[in-house]
Amino acid sequence: CSAIDACKTSNGGCSAKAECRRTTPGNRACICNAGYTGDGIVCIEINPCLENNGGCDRNAECTQTGPNQAVCNCLKGYSGDGKRCTYISLCSQNNGGCSEFAICNDTELTERTCTCKDNYIGDGFKCRGNIFQELLRDSNTSRFYFHLEALSIRDIAGPGPFTLFVPRTDVLNSDPRVKDWTAKGVMAQVLRYHMVGCASLLYNDLTTITNITSLQGDPIHISYSQNLLVLNNKAEIILSDAVGTNGVIHVINQILVP
């Protein structure tokens, strides 16, 4: 007589995911393979994500990859190895894409708000200070700023409102009269002739006006035709409506002479 091997045929009736182990002659035990659970006759794949999120961080997604195997991936807005995930502040890098003159506030995952700081105006992504500050920030108008600084002219740093007609930097650099005016001590008058007080006049406002008085005291003549605004029949407005907290800047292609 020989002992009957209960596991010899059809894995002893055990699950295909189980090991059939001979015990006593004619008997066997069914043991589920690693990664499976059950009575051996029926073995079900263990999903580790069903318990304690598979050991992943609460801000991570657990994804089953095999029997009792899973990977952890941090959710959007978090960084880490999945076992530990840390909130990513959008404002922590490059001020969240806000202006350097804005305050970035994290509101919720992947969201933030940008608000211009006090004494600045704008949408938070672009914030402007007073027009005196803004002159320096634009290469088209920075030369005008340096001329004001050299002569200690701070009129347009006040509360305003002001309207400023600024000869473009290359015009100021190339016009030989600038040196003569500086030498004769009249450059301050020329600069103030480009400033208008008590009004912040946008391009559309200027199309309805024919004369305005400068801070220097002399009038500036304005004409509008064929979609062009021209000052004193010579200088065209080529860039307009750079709005600051205390006025507006327009860039012109010639120097105005009182």
Side-chain angles (χ1 to χ4, degrees):
C1 296
S2 60
I4 297 173
D5 183 354
C7 294
K8 186 175 182 179
T9 306
S10 300
N11 199 31
C14 300
S15 166
K17 303 299 183 183
E19 178 188 0
C20 181
R21 294 181 184 174
R22 294 169 59 187
T23 52
T24 57
N27 295 307
R28 54 90 177 102
C30 297
I31 310 298
C32 289
N33 294 335
Y36 293 84
T37 184
D39 59 6
I41 305 298
V42 176
C43 293
I44 301 172
E45 191 172 279
I46 296 171
N47 183 353
C49 297
L50 298 178
E51 186 175 343
N52 195 32
N53 199 31
C56 303
D57 188 274
R58 65 175 182 168
N59 294 307
E61 180 182 24
C62 179
T63 304
Q64 184 184 5
T65 58
N68 205 26
Q69 294 178 325
V71 292
C72 303
N73 293 298
C74 293
L75 298 174
K76 188 175 182 180
Y78 292 85
S79 67
D81 61 4
K83 297 291 185 181
R84 184 174 180 179
C85 299
T86 306
Y87 173 64
I88 302 171
S89 168
L90 291 179
C91 296
S92 65
Q93 295 182 338
N94 195 32
N95 201 31
C98 304
S99 164
E100 61 180 310
F101 303 111
I103 297 170
C104 180
N105 283 309
D106 290 294
T107 52
E108 53 186 86
L109 290 182
T110 71
E111 296 293 333
R112 54 91 179 86
T113 60
C114 301
T115 307
C116 292
K117 295 177 181 177
D118 290 343
N119 300 318
Y120 288 89
I121 59 171
D123 59 5
F125 297 98
K126 189 168 186 178
C127 299
R128 290 193 178 98
N130 65 49
I131 55 176
F132 188 67
Q133 295 170 306
E134 292 306 308
L135 286 173
L136 184 59
R137 295 175 60 196
D138 187 338
S139 61
N140 285 312
T141 57
S142 58
R143 190 63 188 164
F144 192 84
Y145 171 89
F146 291 126
H147 279 295
L148 295 178
E149 278 285 84
L151 296 169
S152 299
I153 298 174
R154 308 281 299 186
D155 306 56
I156 57 172
F162 301 101
T163 301
L164 202 57
F165 302 106
V166 181
R168 201 171 55 199
T169 289
D170 61 326
V171 174
L172 282 171
N173 285 339
S174 61
D175 195 318
R177 295 176 298 173
V178 171
K179 286 186 178 180
D180 294 336
W181 291 328
T182 303
K184 293 175 181 177
V186 297
M187 190 61 186
Q189 296 177 46
V190 174
L191 294 173
R192 285 195 172 96
Y193 187 53
H194 294 77
M195 307 173 190
V196 176
C198 303
S200 181
L201 300 169
L202 298 175
Y203 190 93
N204 284 341
D205 300 322
L206 295 171
T207 62
T208 63
I209 300 172
T210 54
N211 287 286
I212 48 178
T213 303
S214 69
L215 290 185
Q216 180 266 348
D218 287 348
I220 300 171
H221 176 68
I222 302 173
S223 55
Y224 179 68
S225 65
Q226 297 179 341
N227 294 322
L228 282 179
L229 264 174
V230 180
L231 309 181
N232 291 348
N233 299 315
K234 289 184 179 181
E236 294 179 11
I237 293 180
I238 53 177
L239 295 169
S240 62
D241 294 354
V243 178
T245 56
N246 65 339
V248 60
I249 299 170
H250 304 287
V251 179
I252 55 179
N253 65 354
Q254 288 192 42
I255 299 175
L256 301 177
V257 182

